[in-house]
């Protein structure tokens, strides 16, 4: 069986070594030494000033919205995982969807200004599949209209734009370290900012607002992670270059195989100046019918690609209905993420490409 992804598991002995340390110290959670060590390593690797390890990527977005004290309308992308939209609604803000750029599937910056109203307070966009949003254009629009910018960077671990770590763009970036992500801590996430005032707020907010044992800075929530999760991160971290390298090799193998078989699928185009992380391998078919036929044929061979991301988020039952976003609807109906993980054999890639080529001959 080949799934769309497979979690990276480090050698068990390495994890056990960390467990022995936890047993010795008896310090299981609440900012233990492993959490501190992982935070510092990731902060340096991603090149940001403030880095907060939290218990998942969804609470990271929720705390980001709280830390910026956002209300009213938040302009966002319909093409992302559901957590991008649900976090906005959960924090009692209104998601306002702007269509995506058909070239790279991130929010179409040229359409943002038309969606701004007096109630707009922020833009929350996703570097979907690790592809950077139009960060320069978004920065200019935000400055002009005094809006805050949050990037859901859940897919963008290790991505750089114009030589700069992608987490440096916007007021706050968030990450997910869920087991299915490229770098993971089983469950986990992070909030990053270069702004000292925001960093200060986020530090308190993720720990119930505690300022010492008996004093409180203000309102907070439980965003903390544990030593066990940090230990997994510390085991995966030394492998990150190898993980990134293997994903690149496998993605290029897909490119070559699809090209040789003259398979007619569309691939997102990276912006100029992107150092990419090969987080996913999405392909867009000519029609949803083609996609479903390819999926069924792959499933028959015990291969399970995923419809990331479907449906388009502006059709969720809890958002205001009626808006039409033709690019997002069209891409989400036709895009399939093919299996991609560090130990996927190139032979499996060839088999997947051959099945797709065969199906498309008759569709
Ligand atoms: C995975 C993901 C999240 C949520 O992260 P969790 O750690 O699962 O809470 C948010 N946004 C995007 C784009 C994601 O892919």
């Amino acid at each position: 069986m080949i799934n769309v992804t497979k979690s990276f598991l480090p050698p068990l002995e390495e994890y056990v070594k960390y467990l022995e340390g936890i047993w010795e110290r008896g310090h299981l959670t609440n900012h233990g030494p492993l959490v501190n060590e992982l935070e510092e390593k990731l902060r340096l690797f991603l090149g940001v000033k403030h880095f907060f390890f939290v218990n998942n990527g969804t609470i990271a977005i929720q705390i980001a919205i709280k830390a910026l004290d956002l209300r009213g309308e938040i302009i966002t992308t319909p093409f992302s995982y559901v957590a991008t939209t649900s976090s906005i609604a959960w924090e009692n803000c209104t998601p306002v969807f702007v269509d995506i750029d058909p070239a790279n599937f991130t929010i179409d910056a040229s359409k943002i200004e038309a969606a701004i109203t007096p109630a707009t307070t922020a833009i929350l966009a996703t570097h979907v599949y690790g592809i950077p949003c139009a960060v320069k254009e978004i920065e200019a629009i935000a400055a002009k209209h005094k809006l805050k910018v949050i990037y859901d960077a859940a897919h963008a671990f290790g991505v750089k734009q114009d030589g700069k770590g992608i987490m440096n763009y916007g007021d706050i970036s968030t990450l997910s370290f869920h087991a299915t992500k490229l770098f993971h801590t089983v469950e986990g996430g992070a909030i990053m900012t270069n702004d000292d005032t925001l960093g200060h707020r986020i530090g308190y907010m993720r720990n119930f607002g505690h300022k010492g044992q008996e004093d409180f800075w203000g309102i907070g929530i439980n965003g903390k992670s544990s030593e066990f999760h940090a230990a997994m991160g510390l085991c995966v971290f030394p492998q990150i270059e190898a993980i990134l390298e293997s994903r690149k090799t496998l993605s290029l193998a897909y490119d070559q195989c699809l090209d040789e078989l003259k398979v007619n699928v569309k691939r997102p185009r990276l912006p100029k100046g992107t150092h990419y992380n090969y987080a996913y391998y999405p392909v867009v078919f000519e029609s949803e019918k083609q996609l479903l036929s390819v999926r069924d044929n792959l499933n028959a061979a015990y291969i399970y690609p995923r419809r990331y991301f479907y449906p388009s988020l502006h059709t969720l039952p809890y958002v205001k209905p009626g808006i039409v976003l033709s690019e997002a609807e069209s891409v989400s109906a036709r895009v399939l993420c093919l299996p991609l993980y560090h130990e996927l054999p190139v032979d499996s890639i060839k088999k997947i490409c051959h099945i797709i080529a065969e199906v498309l001959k008759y569709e």
Side-chain angles (χ1 to χ4, degrees):
M1 186 174 86
I2 300 175
N3 273 324
V4 68
T5 191
K6 186 172 173 183
S7 299
F8 178 88
L9 278 171
L12 184 58
E13 315 82 73
E14 288 180 24
Y15 192 67
V16 170
K17 250 189 259 157
Y18 281 108
L19 291 183
E20 285 167 358
I22 297 174
W23 255 251
E24 272 165 34
R25 288 185 294 274
H27 191 161
L28 310 191
T29 186
N30 286 4
H31 318 290
L34 300 183
V35 165
N36 293 336
E37 184 183 339
L38 181 66
E39 281 191 331
E40 186 57 11
K41 284 194 164 140
L42 293 177
R43 190 182 74 75
L44 292 172
F45 181 80
L46 298 167
V48 287
K49 194 161 180 200
H50 301 284
F51 180 100
F52 300 93
F53 181 38
V54 293
N55 41 23
N56 60 66
T58 306
I59 203 136
I61 303 172
Q62 290 173 237
I63 293 176
I65 292 171
K66 282 281 190 207
L68 290 165
D69 200 16
L70 301 182
R71 293 150 203 236
E73 297 176 359
I74 299 179
I75 289 175
T76 191
T77 175
F79 192 68
S80 182
Y81 182 60
V82 68
T84 316
T85 300
S86 64
S87 302
I88 295 173
W90 192 267
E91 294 304 329
N92 283 322
C93 295
T94 307
V96 173
F97 295 97
V98 164
D99 211 350
I100 57 170
D101 180 340
N104 63 29
F105 314 159
T106 66
I107 195 167
D108 187 340
S110 72
K111 293 182 177 159
I112 290 177
E113 279 196 293
I116 296 174
T117 75
T120 309
T121 55
I123 299 165
L124 198 177
T126 302
H127 302 305
V128 70
Y129 305 132
I131 301 167
C133 295
V135 287
K136 298 263 158 63
E137 287 84 346
I138 291 174
E139 192 174 301
I141 294 164
K144 182 171 160 196
H145 297 273
K146 301 204 168 22
L147 304 177
K148 302 295 182 187
V149 178
I150 301 173
Y151 286 114
D152 180 344
H155 306 160
F157 191 92
V159 171
K160 289 185 182 147
Q161 182 60 37
D162 300 322
K164 199 159 93 167
I166 195 72
M167 308 301 161
N168 288 291
Y169 294 91
D171 295 283
I172 298 180
S173 293
T174 64
L175 268 167
S176 164
F177 301 146
H178 182 257
T180 54
K181 304 301 206 275
L182 180 155
F183 171 83
H184 81 95
T185 60
V186 187
E187 291 275 359
I191 314 170
M192 291 149 287
T193 182
N194 288 336
D195 181 298
D196 294 338
T197 310
L198 278 175
H200 190 77
R201 290 170 71 83
I202 294 164
Y204 285 117
M205 280 184 165
R206 77 152 166 185
N207 187 28
F208 303 100
H210 263 296
K211 192 174 178 181
Q213 285 187 356
E214 293 166 12
D215 264 358
F216 290 92
W217 161 87
I219 193 167
I221 195 162
N222 185 358
K224 290 178 282 105
S225 189
S226 80
E227 292 291 277
F228 294 78
H229 294 89
M232 180 59 86
L234 287 168
C235 291
V236 177
F237 184 71
Q239 310 288 336
I240 195 65
E241 295 297 347
I243 292 171
L244 290 166
E245 196 53 43
S246 70
R247 299 184 85 99
K248 178 175 181 179
T249 305
L250 297 172
S251 297
L252 296 180
Y254 267 124
D255 287 348
Q256 192 187 345
C257 199
L258 290 173
D259 196 48
E260 275 169 17
L261 295 169
K262 302 201 178 353
V263 174
N264 184 21
V265 287
K266 205 181 110 184
R267 299 262 303 132
R269 201 165 59 232
L270 290 174
K272 271 207 197 78
T274 301
H275 174 79
Y276 189 48
N277 66 355
Y278 302 90
Y280 294 85
Y281 197 89
V283 290
V284 183
F285 295 96
E286 277 183 347
S287 65
E288 186 172 18
K289 183 167 164 278
Q290 253 191 7
L291 174 147
L292 294 173
S293 176
V294 165
R295 184 185 64 176
D296 291 347
N297 279 273
L298 287 171
N299 288 358
Y302 304 102
I303 297 165
Y304 301 96
R306 282 288 294 269
R307 297 187 76 180
Y308 290 149
F309 292 95
Y310 176 85
S312 184
L313 298 173
H314 70 289
T315 64
L316 284 169
Y318 49 84
V319 306
K320 203 169 107 199
I323 178 174
V324 176
L325 299 174
S326 50
E327 300 295 351
E329 285 163 32
S330 163
V331 169
S332 61
R334 296 181 293 126
V335 68
L336 199 60
C337 279
L338 302 182
L340 180 64
Y341 48 88
H342 61 287
E343 55 183 40
L344 180 68
V346 172
D347 276 351
S348 300
I349 289 180
K350 287 185 181 152
K351 181 172 168 190
I352 292 165
C353 294
H354 275 98
I355 292 174
I356 297 173
E358 202 54 30
V359 174
L360 295 195
K361 261 192 218 160
Y362 304 104
E363 283 293 333

